[in-house]
Amino acid sequence: MVDVGTMGARALAAQTDWSRLPTGAADQWPPALLAAWDLALDSLLPTALLVGKKRVLLYNDAFAERLGSLHPAAFGRPADEVLPELWDASPVGGLLDRVLTDGDAFLDADSRVGWSRPGGSATTAAPDASVAPDAAPDVDATDATDATDAAGAPDAPLLGHHLRTGSAVRDAAGDVVAVVHVVVETSSSHDRARAVAELASALGTAVTVDDVCKVALREAVAAFDARSAGICLPSPEHGGWRIARRHRIEDLSPDEERLPLIWSEVPQDLAETVSWAVGEREVHRSDSGELVVVPLETRTVRAAIVGFREATELPASFGVVLSAFTDLVAEALGRAVVYDAERSTAELLQRTLLPPSLPQSDAISVAARYEPVSEGTVAGGDFYDSFFLPDGRLALVIGDVVGRGVMAATVMGQVRAAVRGAALADSRPNVVMGALDRVVWDLDALWPASLPLGTARARPGMSFGGELFVTMLYATITPETGVVEIASAGHPVPALLSGRSARADGAPRGQLLTMPVGPPLGIGGARPATELLLEVGDMLVAYTDGLLERRGEDLAAGEERLLGVLADLPPSSPRRVAQLVMEAMVPPSGQEDDCAVLTVGRSPAGYRRRTLVVPPMPESVRAARDWARAQLTQWHVGDADQYTIVTGISELITNAVLHAGTESHLTMDLDSGQVSVTVADSGNRGEPLLTGGEAMAVRGRGLSLVKAISDAFGSHRTSAGTTVWFEVVVTPSHEPQAADGPDGMVAEPVR
């Protein structure tokens, strides 16, 4: 039995009984048709003939490869039966018919055509006896059917981008007897060109180095026809190279796309290749084509794109695409480096002017979060503070200087310092705000009248012309009783997050305070104080207007959104509430103004706090574990919860020792049946690197573990360094204890 599936087109034609086909016997063909058929058989391009009104399909070996498993059953059959989608779902069939009827040749530079699989189209039918080729005397009829049925297994060979041509073949009388149809796949070139176009568009909105690298990696996989692509930047630690990679098979969610890139050290052999390519400013291509290293020309940073490919020859269009790709990425990367440097300076200035820590006591817990503006490289004017007054009360301050830039940040720092001075002299809200009016009036004389805040040409001796305004919320709280006295100078009113006891009496989970709002500082006027009682478990949530503002919305819509967030908050500490509110209110695309959140809550009986200074030495990890285990035992925390907490502490201290290189402060709080752990370091070494890790290893593997085993997890930067925290809801051990005693524990959260 002859295996027609392996038979070439010329051999298949030699065994075909042409007299049974609509084409008639080959010796009766017009000379032009015979010449066209000979040229098709000899052509290296996929070439087919559509003969006569029935479009009988004849083709060469290159076209047979494009047909895949439809060959050889397709040979000699009507083309519209073999590939019905060319007529039903694309304009190609119409173009071919037009050549047959009118003789009009065509060139379709970019078509994308596929066809349905067996069971749903004419391609599955057995060849009709009137048109099927007699491939060989001993070919079983089932062979052709089986070959056709097998069409469902391989990929569709004609699915992709193609260049197609159709030309008429005429007989001696000038009548069209056939169409010469040539198909050239252009999918690879098309995809590369598309990748460059998409790259240019995506880089238009990428402003940070991280953003640019993400875009470059995503598009490099298609542009380089690579299994994976990497971008190499100088390592800040070791003088070598670090790399972030993206694999072709990765399908990241929008949330995953927003995560920072994972960087790892480049292996020595690859690092040498990257250094050579960057130093010589030449593209490195391995002999097999598996590795391509392309230097990026930028004045501000050395960098390279690395493509990890199959062992295939690089396409001819690679050089053109490569040039456009690297030029775009290098230009964007150069801008991003400058942007990151300026933004880091602005953010460092902002955070330096904010307090590195907030006071805590057994009765009161305070937390804050600050989020800079998402775009731009200017510092903001939002500020917060908290400090104890001489009589033991706690002062709370949150405010916003109108405008942005170094000037606004400078004014903010001066106002924050002035608040402390005024409150320590006389802490009554009306007295403090009256004193700050005079401070703002004096500061108004220091800055330009005709230029907005943040303008580079501003200089001392010029003024705002009376346009410097500061909004501020000022409050005092007595820790033992929870009595709060609060006043607002043009600032949004805070929200009250009710604890369990208040909710049992019918109070909503979250509500905005009803209180008068006076004019901003610098204008003068009355700012009446409001007195309220903060019960145990209640929490005050203050914020700046950047948390509420959205383009096209009024502040009322932002207030409703905030109340919705507060209504769904689980029982939480002030630290966690500040984190959750910030995460829920800041849109994924980032906010247009900087914003701050300040939370304060009364702690129930049984609140405990312990702190430990941990030196930056490996042996400190075990010492911290032993210290924590001893404290947790004293607090009657169960063994299972102890194991979870100590494991988390071990990971955080290890991370601080390895990456910060400075002493860290370990704090444990027992509050409302949950243990909060904070590790704060003063390191400023940038992003940690994975040493000896695989290219696909996840950065912060220890932090991921902590997040997985804890009930809440978060991190934030301050002017002093990085703070990482987690919380675990705990149950007491079975040892005898007094719930309200000096070391007792309240087992159930009340907030």
Side-chain angles (χ1 to χ4, degrees):
M1 188 175 296
V2 177
D3 183 3
V4 296
T6 61
M7 186 179 296
R10 191 180 298 275
L12 187 61
Q15 298 197 35
T16 297
D17 183 358
W18 295 101
S19 63
R20 297 177 56 188
L21 298 181
T23 60
D27 57 7
Q28 301 298 317
W29 290 2
L33 180 58
L34 284 171
W37 177 230
D38 287 338
L39 288 174
L41 289 173
D42 293 334
S43 176
L44 297 178
L45 296 177
T47 306
L49 294 182
L50 279 67
V51 183
K53 295 181 179 180
K54 290 194 174 183
R55 314 181 190 93
V56 176
L57 183 62
L58 311 176
Y59 47 81
N60 64 3
D61 290 339
F63 198 93
E65 293 180 4
R66 305 300 302 144
L67 288 175
S69 58
L70 294 180
H71 171 73
F75 193 85
R77 291 178 57 200
D80 58 332
E81 293 183 10
V82 175
L83 301 173
E85 281 78 0
L86 291 182
W87 278 262
D88 299 340
S90 82
V92 175
L95 293 173
L96 292 170
D97 285 347
R98 187 172 177 181
V99 180
L100 280 170
T101 56
D102 301 334
D104 295 336
F106 72 87
L107 171 63
D108 185 5
D110 182 27
S111 64
R112 183 171 174 82
V113 182
W115 60 81
S116 58
R117 289 307 188 185
S121 81
T123 57
T124 63
D128 188 275
S130 62
V131 297
D134 188 6
D138 55 351
V139 174
D140 193 295
T142 59
D143 290 337
T145 303
D146 292 342
T148 305
D149 290 342
D155 58 335
L158 289 181
L159 183 61
H161 294 274
H162 300 83
L163 182 147
R164 296 174 178 271
T165 66
S167 303
V169 178
R170 300 177 184 269
D171 60 15
D175 296 329
V176 178
V177 295
V179 178
V180 179
H181 183 37
V182 180
V183 182
V184 179
E185 185 177 11
T186 59
S187 297
S188 298
S189 298
H190 183 280
D191 289 344
R192 293 187 185 92
R194 176 194 54 78
V196 171
E198 292 182 357
L199 175 71
S201 175
L203 288 176
T205 57
V207 293
T208 68
V209 170
D210 196 74
D211 292 340
V212 171
C213 290
K214 287 179 183 177
V215 172
L217 288 174
R218 185 172 63 244
E219 302 301 335
V221 172
F224 287 19
D225 191 23
R227 292 182 290 106
S228 66
I231 187 164
C232 295
L233 295 176
S235 172
E237 293 287 330
H238 310 287
W241 295 93
R242 55 176 177 153
I243 186 172
R245 291 180 67 170
R246 177 80 179 251
H247 288 243
R248 182 191 296 170
I249 61 174
E250 284 183 297
D251 184 17
L252 302 181
S253 67
D255 289 336
E256 291 171 325
E257 288 280 10
R258 287 191 289 269
L259 293 175
L261 285 174
I262 300 168
W263 294 92
S264 60
E265 291 183 4
V266 176
Q268 184 176 355
D269 55 345
L270 179 58
E272 292 175 355
T273 303
V274 171
S275 296
W276 178 89
V278 172
E280 299 296 327
R281 298 183 178 180
E282 292 186 12
V283 177
H284 168 80
R285 311 182 189 192
S286 64
D287 295 337
S288 63
E290 290 182 288
L291 178 67
V292 179
V293 180
V294 184
L296 299 178
E297 296 284 345
T298 170
R299 293 174 298 174
T300 54
V301 67
R302 300 187 306 152
I305 295 285
V306 182
F308 302 92
R309 310 175 64 256
E310 302 289 349
T312 57
E313 184 178 354
L314 291 171
S317 61
F318 182 76
V320 177
V321 175
L322 180 66
S323 176
F325 187 93
T326 54
D327 288 348
L328 288 170
V329 174
E331 181 181 353
L333 192 59
R335 294 196 308 264
V337 169
V338 176
Y339 177 92
D340 279 359
E342 293 179 354
R343 181 176 173 85
S344 296
T345 301
E347 189 174 339
L348 179 62
L349 170 64
Q350 174 78 31
R351 295 189 185 277
T352 301
L353 294 174
L354 295 174
S357 61
L358 296 173
Q360 309 288 334
S361 72
D362 287 351
I364 291 290
S365 181
V366 185
R369 291 291 179 271
Y370 167 76
E371 189 70 26
V373 63
S374 299
E375 295 186 3
T377 57
V378 294
D382 289 19
F383 65 96
Y384 59 83
D385 202 359
S386 181
F387 50 91
F388 280 108
L389 299 168
D391 59 6
R393 289 180 301 157
L394 186 68
L396 302 169
V397 184
I398 188 168
D400 185 7
V401 177
V402 176
R404 293 195 314 212
V406 174
M407 295 166 60
T410 304
V411 171
M412 175 267 285
Q414 292 171 311
V415 170
R416 189 173 74 85
V419 173
R420 288 204 173 207
L424 292 175
D426 190 331
S427 61
R428 290 174 296 174
N430 62 324
V431 175
V432 170
M433 291 188 173
L436 290 174
D437 272 333
R438 293 188 293 272
V439 171
V440 173
W441 292 335
D442 291 338
L443 290 173
D444 185 37
L446 297 177
W447 308 106
S450 59
L451 301 177
L453 287 172
T455 303
R457 290 182 288 140
R459 61 183 185 276
M462 304 177 73
S463 72
F464 284 121
E467 296 182 359
L468 173 60
F469 304 118
V470 179
T471 69
M472 191 182 78
L473 194 73
Y474 172 82
T476 62
I477 179 171
T478 304
E480 293 76 19
T481 63
V483 174
V484 177
E485 193 175 12
I486 186 170
S488 171
H491 200 81
V493 298
L496 178 64
L497 191 63
S498 301
R500 178 180 299 166
S501 58
R503 295 199 304 276
D505 295 334
R509 176 63 168 151
Q511 58 184 317
L512 297 178
L513 291 184
T514 302
M515 58 177 289
V517 177
L521 302 177
I523 295 180
R527 292 106 180 177
T530 298
E531 187 174 290
L532 62 105
L533 181 63
L534 197 65
E535 300 283 358
V536 172
D538 290 348
M539 196 179 305
L540 203 62
V541 181
Y543 46 87
T544 57
D545 57 6
L547 189 75
L548 306 179
E549 291 176 339
R550 297 289 183 276
R551 185 173 299 175
E553 288 186 359
D554 56 19
L555 288 181
E559 291 174 343
E560 289 297 323
R561 189 165 49 251
L562 174 62
L563 291 178
V565 170
L566 296 179
D568 295 332
L569 284 181
S572 306
S573 66
R575 178 191 291 111
R576 189 183 182 194
V577 166
Q579 178 97 357
L580 293 176
V581 167
M582 189 69 80
E583 290 177 351
M585 292 295 291
V586 173
S589 58
Q591 76 280 6
E592 300 172 3
D593 192 9
D594 53 339
C595 58
V597 174
L598 179 68
T599 54
V600 57
R602 288 188 65 195
S603 301
Y607 178 89
R608 296 291 180 268
R609 162 170 285 211
R610 298 291 186 271
T611 60
L612 178 70
V613 177
V614 182
M617 299 182 295
E619 54 268 28
S620 298
V621 178
R622 180 172 183 177
R625 288 200 301 261
D626 294 341
W627 173 86
R629 192 175 288 107
Q631 295 297 330
L632 294 171
T633 300
Q634 186 179 2
W635 291 346
H636 306 293
V637 175
D639 291 341
D641 292 328
Q642 280 196 35
Y643 178 81
T644 299
I645 295 168
V646 171
T647 299
I649 288 174
S650 178
E651 295 294 341
L652 295 190
I653 295 297
T654 299
N655 187 69
V657 169
L658 289 176
H659 300 305
T662 64
E663 68 179 20
S664 53
H665 294 260
L666 169 61
T667 303
M668 286 200 312
D669 296 85
L670 174 63
D671 184 2
S672 305
Q674 62 186 13
V675 173
S676 301
V677 176
T678 303
V679 175
D681 64 62
S682 55
N684 189 24
R685 295 187 177 185
E687 294 289 344
L689 294 175
L690 292 175
T691 55
E694 295 293 333
M696 284 292 289
V698 177
R699 186 191 60 188
R701 190 175 295 166
L703 301 185
S704 299
L705 172 62
V706 176
K707 184 176 182 179
I709 65 176
S710 60
D711 295 297
F713 172 86
S715 64
H716 63 281
R717 286 184 294 163
T718 69
S719 59
T722 302
T723 298
V724 185
W725 61 271
F726 68 91
E727 294 179 351
V728 177
V729 176
V730 297
T731 54
S733 66
H734 297 294
E735 300 176 14
Q737 58 184 296
D740 295 327
D743 289 315
M745 184 179 71
V746 178
E748 189 174 10
V750 297
R751 286 201 173 102

